mmCIF file of all heavy atoms in Angstrom:
data_model
loop_
_atom_site.group_PDB
_atom_site.id
_atom_site.type_symbol
_atom_site.label_atom_id
_atom_site.label_comp_id
_atom_site.label_asym_id
_atom_site.label_seq_id
_atom_site.Cartn_x
_atom_site.Cartn_y
_atom_site.Cartn_z
ATOM 1 N N ARG A 1336 -37.323 1.567 38.878
ATOM 2 C CA ARG A 1336 -36.359 1.164 37.852
ATOM 3 C C ARG A 1336 -36.580 -0.288 37.432
ATOM 4 O O ARG A 1336 -36.442 -0.637 36.261
ATOM 5 C CB ARG A 1336 -34.928 1.325 38.387
ATOM 6 C CG ARG A 1336 -34.557 2.726 38.845
ATOM 7 C CD ARG A 1336 -34.422 3.707 37.684
ATOM 8 N NE ARG A 1336 -35.693 4.262 37.269
ATOM 9 C CZ ARG A 1336 -36.324 5.244 37.885
ATOM 10 N NH1 ARG A 1336 -35.804 5.783 38.963
ATOM 11 N NH2 ARG A 1336 -37.462 5.704 37.418
ATOM 12 N N LEU A 1337 -36.925 -1.150 38.379
ATOM 13 C CA LEU A 1337 -37.181 -2.552 38.064
ATOM 14 C C LEU A 1337 -38.391 -2.679 37.142
ATOM 15 O O LEU A 1337 -38.375 -3.446 36.172
ATOM 16 C CB LEU A 1337 -37.404 -3.340 39.353
ATOM 17 C CG LEU A 1337 -37.692 -4.836 39.178
ATOM 18 C CD1 LEU A 1337 -36.530 -5.522 38.477
ATOM 19 C CD2 LEU A 1337 -37.968 -5.477 40.540
ATOM 20 N N LEU A 1338 -39.439 -1.917 37.415
ATOM 21 C CA LEU A 1338 -40.630 -1.955 36.565
ATOM 22 C C LEU A 1338 -40.321 -1.433 35.163
ATOM 23 O O LEU A 1338 -40.844 -1.946 34.172
ATOM 24 C CB LEU A 1338 -41.758 -1.146 37.206
ATOM 25 C CG LEU A 1338 -42.333 -1.723 38.514
ATOM 26 C CD1 LEU A 1338 -43.371 -0.764 39.102
ATOM 27 C CD2 LEU A 1338 -42.942 -3.097 38.271
ATOM 28 N N GLU A 1339 -39.461 -0.411 35.087
ATOM 29 C CA GLU A 1339 -39.065 0.096 33.765
ATOM 30 C C GLU A 1339 -38.332 -0.975 32.962
ATOM 31 O O GLU A 1339 -38.551 -1.131 31.754
ATOM 32 C CB GLU A 1339 -38.179 1.334 33.930
ATOM 33 C CG GLU A 1339 -38.914 2.565 34.413
ATOM 34 C CD GLU A 1339 -37.969 3.707 34.756
ATOM 35 O OE1 GLU A 1339 -36.731 3.494 34.639
ATOM 36 O OE2 GLU A 1339 -38.446 4.779 35.155
ATOM 37 N N LEU A 1340 -37.432 -1.723 33.627
ATOM 38 C CA LEU A 1340 -36.694 -2.782 32.950
ATOM 39 C C LEU A 1340 -37.636 -3.880 32.463
ATOM 40 O O LEU A 1340 -37.496 -4.386 31.341
ATOM 41 C CB LEU A 1340 -35.642 -3.371 33.883
ATOM 42 C CG LEU A 1340 -34.392 -2.515 34.121
ATOM 43 C CD1 LEU A 1340 -33.560 -3.100 35.251
ATOM 44 C CD2 LEU A 1340 -33.558 -2.434 32.852
ATOM 45 N N ARG A 1341 -38.595 -4.249 33.302
ATOM 46 C CA ARG A 1341 -39.532 -5.290 32.891
ATOM 47 C C ARG A 1341 -40.400 -4.822 31.725
ATOM 48 O O ARG A 1341 -40.695 -5.597 30.814
ATOM 49 C CB ARG A 1341 -40.402 -5.688 34.082
ATOM 50 C CG ARG A 1341 -39.634 -6.483 35.146
ATOM 51 C CD ARG A 1341 -40.519 -6.863 36.315
ATOM 52 N NE ARG A 1341 -39.810 -7.716 37.264
ATOM 53 C CZ ARG A 1341 -40.317 -8.128 38.420
ATOM 54 N NH1 ARG A 1341 -41.552 -7.745 38.768
ATOM 55 N NH2 ARG A 1341 -39.611 -8.901 39.221
ATOM 56 N N ALA A 1342 -40.779 -3.570 31.729
ATOM 57 C CA ALA A 1342 -41.569 -3.031 30.620
ATOM 58 C C ALA A 1342 -40.755 -3.003 29.331
ATOM 59 O O ALA A 1342 -41.266 -3.320 28.252
ATOM 60 C CB ALA A 1342 -42.072 -1.628 30.964
ATOM 61 N N ALA A 1343 -39.480 -2.630 29.440
ATOM 62 C CA ALA A 1343 -38.615 -2.594 28.264
ATOM 63 C C ALA A 1343 -38.410 -3.996 27.702
ATOM 64 O O ALA A 1343 -38.403 -4.199 26.479
ATOM 65 C CB ALA A 1343 -37.272 -1.962 28.618
ATOM 66 N N HIS A 1344 -38.245 -4.980 28.595
ATOM 67 C CA HIS A 1344 -38.078 -6.356 28.137
ATOM 68 C C HIS A 1344 -39.338 -6.859 27.446
ATOM 69 O O HIS A 1344 -39.265 -7.528 26.398
ATOM 70 C CB HIS A 1344 -37.741 -7.254 29.326
ATOM 71 C CG HIS A 1344 -37.445 -8.669 28.955
ATOM 72 N ND1 HIS A 1344 -38.303 -9.705 29.226
ATOM 73 C CD2 HIS A 1344 -36.392 -9.221 28.310
ATOM 74 C CE1 HIS A 1344 -37.796 -10.838 28.772
ATOM 75 N NE2 HIS A 1344 -36.633 -10.574 28.213
ATOM 76 N N ALA A 1345 -40.489 -6.513 27.984
ATOM 77 C CA ALA A 1345 -41.748 -6.922 27.358
ATOM 78 C C ALA A 1345 -41.912 -6.272 25.990
ATOM 79 O O ALA A 1345 -42.375 -6.913 25.039
ATOM 80 C CB ALA A 1345 -42.925 -6.546 28.265
ATOM 81 N N ALA A 1346 -41.517 -5.000 25.876
ATOM 82 C CA ALA A 1346 -41.617 -4.307 24.590
ATOM 83 C C ALA A 1346 -40.705 -4.958 23.554
ATOM 84 O O ALA A 1346 -41.072 -5.092 22.374
ATOM 85 C CB ALA A 1346 -41.259 -2.834 24.756
ATOM 86 N N ALA A 1347 -39.504 -5.386 23.982
ATOM 87 C CA ALA A 1347 -38.581 -6.053 23.061
ATOM 88 C C ALA A 1347 -39.151 -7.386 22.593
ATOM 89 O O ALA A 1347 -39.067 -7.732 21.407
ATOM 90 C CB ALA A 1347 -37.225 -6.261 23.735
ATOM 91 N N ARG A 1348 -39.743 -8.143 23.491
ATOM 92 C CA ARG A 1348 -40.360 -9.420 23.102
ATOM 93 C C ARG A 1348 -41.523 -9.184 22.142
ATOM 94 O O ARG A 1348 -41.684 -9.917 21.154
ATOM 95 C CB ARG A 1348 -40.833 -10.175 24.345
ATOM 96 C CG ARG A 1348 -39.702 -10.726 25.196
ATOM 97 C CD ARG A 1348 -40.250 -11.411 26.438
ATOM 98 N NE ARG A 1348 -41.139 -12.509 26.094
ATOM 99 C CZ ARG A 1348 -40.749 -13.758 25.856
ATOM 100 N NH1 ARG A 1348 -39.456 -14.067 25.941
ATOM 101 N NH2 ARG A 1348 -41.608 -14.701 25.570
ATOM 102 N N ASP A 1349 -42.336 -8.181 22.429
ATOM 103 C CA ASP A 1349 -43.457 -7.868 21.542
ATOM 104 C C ASP A 1349 -42.961 -7.501 20.152
ATOM 105 O O ASP A 1349 -43.566 -7.868 19.139
ATOM 106 C CB ASP A 1349 -44.285 -6.721 22.112
ATOM 107 C CG ASP A 1349 -45.164 -7.142 23.277
ATOM 108 O OD1 ASP A 1349 -45.308 -8.370 23.487
ATOM 109 O OD2 ASP A 1349 -45.695 -6.269 23.980
ATOM 110 N N ALA A 1350 -41.859 -6.749 20.076
ATOM 111 C CA ALA A 1350 -41.321 -6.332 18.777
ATOM 112 C C ALA A 1350 -40.900 -7.533 17.948
ATOM 113 O O ALA A 1350 -41.035 -7.534 16.719
ATOM 114 C CB ALA A 1350 -40.138 -5.386 18.982
ATOM 115 N N VAL A 1351 -40.397 -8.571 18.610
ATOM 116 C CA VAL A 1351 -39.975 -9.780 17.902
ATOM 117 C C VAL A 1351 -41.170 -10.603 17.421
ATOM 118 O O VAL A 1351 -41.193 -11.102 16.296
ATOM 119 C CB VAL A 1351 -39.074 -10.652 18.807
ATOM 120 C CG1 VAL A 1351 -38.808 -12.010 18.154
ATOM 121 C CG2 VAL A 1351 -37.763 -9.939 19.091
ATOM 122 N N HIS A 1352 -42.171 -10.724 18.267
ATOM 123 C CA HIS A 1352 -43.244 -11.684 18.013
ATOM 124 C C HIS A 1352 -44.472 -11.094 17.307
ATOM 125 O O HIS A 1352 -45.259 -11.856 16.739
ATOM 126 C CB HIS A 1352 -43.679 -12.324 19.329
ATOM 127 C CG HIS A 1352 -42.660 -13.255 19.912
ATOM 128 N ND1 HIS A 1352 -42.438 -14.532 19.433
ATOM 129 C CD2 HIS A 1352 -41.763 -13.073 20.917
ATOM 130 C CE1 HIS A 1352 -41.481 -15.111 20.125
ATOM 131 N NE2 HIS A 1352 -41.046 -14.252 21.031
ATOM 132 N N THR A 1353 -44.662 -9.783 17.346
ATOM 133 C CA THR A 1353 -45.827 -9.200 16.678
ATOM 134 C C THR A 1353 -45.646 -9.298 15.170
ATOM 135 O O THR A 1353 -44.674 -8.777 14.622
ATOM 136 C CB THR A 1353 -46.008 -7.728 17.083
ATOM 137 O OG1 THR A 1353 -46.174 -7.649 18.506
ATOM 138 C CG2 THR A 1353 -47.237 -7.132 16.395
ATOM 139 N N PRO A 1354 -46.565 -9.954 14.460
ATOM 140 C CA PRO A 1354 -46.377 -10.143 13.014
ATOM 141 C C PRO A 1354 -46.497 -8.842 12.242
ATOM 142 O O PRO A 1354 -47.179 -7.900 12.659
ATOM 143 C CB PRO A 1354 -47.491 -11.124 12.636
ATOM 144 C CG PRO A 1354 -48.532 -10.941 13.693
ATOM 145 C CD PRO A 1354 -47.794 -10.601 14.953
ATOM 146 N N LEU A 1355 -45.813 -8.788 11.122
ATOM 147 C CA LEU A 1355 -45.873 -7.633 10.238
ATOM 148 C C LEU A 1355 -47.215 -7.609 9.518
ATOM 149 O O LEU A 1355 -47.670 -8.628 8.989
ATOM 150 C CB LEU A 1355 -44.737 -7.716 9.212
ATOM 151 C CG LEU A 1355 -44.625 -6.573 8.206
ATOM 152 C CD1 LEU A 1355 -44.265 -5.273 8.896
ATOM 153 C CD2 LEU A 1355 -43.574 -6.920 7.147
ATOM 154 N N ASP A 1356 -47.862 -6.449 9.495
ATOM 155 C CA ASP A 1356 -49.094 -6.270 8.722
ATOM 156 C C ASP A 1356 -48.688 -6.003 7.278
ATOM 157 O O ASP A 1356 -48.461 -4.860 6.876
ATOM 158 C CB ASP A 1356 -49.913 -5.101 9.287
ATOM 159 C CG ASP A 1356 -51.284 -4.973 8.642
ATOM 160 O OD1 ASP A 1356 -51.455 -5.454 7.495
ATOM 161 O OD2 ASP A 1356 -52.186 -4.370 9.262
ATOM 162 N N VAL A 1357 -48.571 -7.067 6.504
ATOM 163 C CA VAL A 1357 -48.043 -6.976 5.149
ATOM 164 C C VAL A 1357 -48.962 -6.155 4.253
ATOM 165 O O VAL A 1357 -48.495 -5.357 3.430
ATOM 166 C CB VAL A 1357 -47.818 -8.381 4.565
ATOM 167 C CG1 VAL A 1357 -47.336 -8.295 3.120
ATOM 168 C CG2 VAL A 1357 -46.799 -9.135 5.404
ATOM 169 N N ASP A 1358 -50.261 -6.329 4.396
ATOM 170 C CA ASP A 1358 -51.201 -5.578 3.557
ATOM 171 C C ASP A 1358 -51.050 -4.073 3.767
ATOM 172 O O ASP A 1358 -50.966 -3.299 2.805
ATOM 173 C CB ASP A 1358 -52.644 -5.991 3.850
ATOM 174 C CG ASP A 1358 -52.956 -7.394 3.365
ATOM 175 O OD1 ASP A 1358 -52.251 -7.880 2.454
ATOM 176 O OD2 ASP A 1358 -53.903 -8.007 3.894
ATOM 177 N N ALA A 1359 -51.011 -3.661 5.032
ATOM 178 C CA ALA A 1359 -50.899 -2.228 5.330
ATOM 179 C C ALA A 1359 -49.568 -1.674 4.843
ATOM 180 O O ALA A 1359 -49.503 -0.580 4.271
ATOM 181 C CB ALA A 1359 -51.057 -1.993 6.830
ATOM 182 N N LEU A 1360 -48.488 -2.431 5.059
ATOM 183 C CA LEU A 1360 -47.169 -1.959 4.632
ATOM 184 C C LEU A 1360 -47.089 -1.889 3.107
ATOM 185 O O LEU A 1360 -46.560 -0.912 2.556
ATOM 186 C CB LEU A 1360 -46.081 -2.886 5.169
ATOM 187 C CG LEU A 1360 -44.645 -2.513 4.778
ATOM 188 C CD1 LEU A 1360 -44.275 -1.131 5.299
ATOM 189 C CD2 LEU A 1360 -43.658 -3.567 5.271
ATOM 190 N N THR A 1361 -47.614 -2.881 2.424
ATOM 191 C CA THR A 1361 -47.584 -2.883 0.961
ATOM 192 C C THR A 1361 -48.343 -1.691 0.404
ATOM 193 O O THR A 1361 -47.909 -1.056 -0.571
ATOM 194 C CB THR A 1361 -48.171 -4.197 0.419
ATOM 195 O OG1 THR A 1361 -47.404 -5.301 0.912
ATOM 196 C CG2 THR A 1361 -48.136 -4.220 -1.101
#
């Protein structure tokens, strides 16, 4: 359960910091 929480926290940080691929989205 602790490893799951750490993975979820890392995924949340990645979601904030990973830049949007504007070209692909456009």
Side-chain angles (χ1 to χ4, degrees):
R1336 302 290 83 79
L1337 180 60
L1338 293 176
E1339 289 172 358
L1340 285 170
R1341 289 180 175 176
H1344 184 252
R1348 289 178 59 87
D1349 285 348
V1351 171
H1352 290 283
T1353 301
L1355 181 66
D1356 187 336
V1357 177
D1358 290 337
L1360 179 61
T1361 300

